[in-house]
Amino acid sequence: MSPSDGQHIYLHAINARMLEHTYGSLEFGPKAITGKILEKEGGSMTEELRKRLRYLQHLPVTCQFEVAEIQLRQPLVKKETLEQFHGRYF
């Protein structure tokens, strides 16, 4: 998730796992998604965060970024995916 205005906003890992569950791989998923933001957290990249959030390793140290968890629904994700992630997602 990276808006056209250059902001560093990325999809939460739980959402990425849900999309992978539905599509097999993120590369086969939709190019753009929309959904209600459930939670958004901001931060500044540090060496420690780089080690923990490997998918954000490309960001330079001190770069400001946000991670957004969004509510994914059918038909974007399968019913089985929603059931699989129910305890961790809702």
Side-chain angles (χ1 to χ4, degrees), residues 41-80:
E41 187 175 334
S44 180
M45 182 53 69
T46 64
E47 290 295 338
E48 183 180 321
L49 277 177
R50 266 194 169 154
K51 293 174 187 172
R52 282 190 337 169
L53 305 174
R54 294 184 303 175
Y55 67 101
L56 297 179
Q57 286 180 344
H58 65 285
L59 296 177
V61 173
T62 72
C63 178
Q64 299 295 308
F65 68 94
E66 293 180 296
V67 176
E69 180 181 355
I70 64 172
Q71 185 175 30
L72 298 178
R73 297 182 176 199
Q74 288 180 284
L76 185 63
V77 293
K78 298 185 291 189
K79 180 181 178 185
E80 295 80 19

Side-chain angles (χ1 to χ4, degrees), residues 3-21:
S4 60
D5 65 1
Q7 293 182 63
H8 291 282
I9 302 176
Y10 300 92
L11 195 60
H12 192 281
I14 191 78
N15 293 135
R17 288 194 298 269
M18 291 176 76
L19 291 168
E20 287 175 334
H21 185 268

